[in-house]
Amino acid sequence: MLEYFKFDLKRISLIILYLLPISLLTGPAIPDISITLISILFLSYSFINKELKWLKETWIIVGLTFWICLLLLSFFSINKYESFQNAFIFIRYIIFAIAISNWLINDKKSLEFFLKILTISIIFILL
């Protein structure tokens, strides 16, 4: 059953990722929800399967360090609550990038398919 769960989380996340360029046409809400959902599914997959080797990559350590710096700088802001809230939510973009690079787009076939969808979306916007 665990094998099915691994496949299912990745498949759902891939579908959401493939729909992301098209959802950008709808406004900010749907893409934000998509990015957050992919991030949550990736973290769930990683912790359930104890696959945390991605935490050792240099660019991820730099990104997480930057996020912690944003959180610490929030304490010196005039509006601490809003600054802390904005800095805290920023983690979803870092986790989203990690999910794409280490989990979703890790073979040539999925990269090519995503690039085709992205190209079609850009052509549609240009027309």
Side-chain angles (χ1 to χ4, degrees), residues 54-71:
W54 51 268
L55 281 171
K56 296 178 182 175
E57 293 184 32
T58 305
W59 73 272
I60 294 172
I61 294 169
V62 170
L64 293 175
T65 304
F66 175 70
W67 177 66
I68 290 170
C69 288
L70 289 177
L71 289 175

Side-chain angles (χ1 to χ4, degrees), residues 8-45:
D8 198 36
L9 282 180
K10 186 172 182 176
R11 185 175 181 161
I12 291 169
S13 296
L14 268 173
I15 291 169
I16 295 169
L17 178 67
Y18 293 153
L19 292 174
L20 188 62
I22 298 165
S23 72
L24 288 169
L25 301 173
T26 64
I30 294 175
D32 282 346
I33 292 168
S34 299
I35 289 170
T36 304
L37 189 58
I38 289 172
S39 300
I40 290 170
L41 291 173
F42 169 68
L43 289 176
S44 300
Y45 172 84

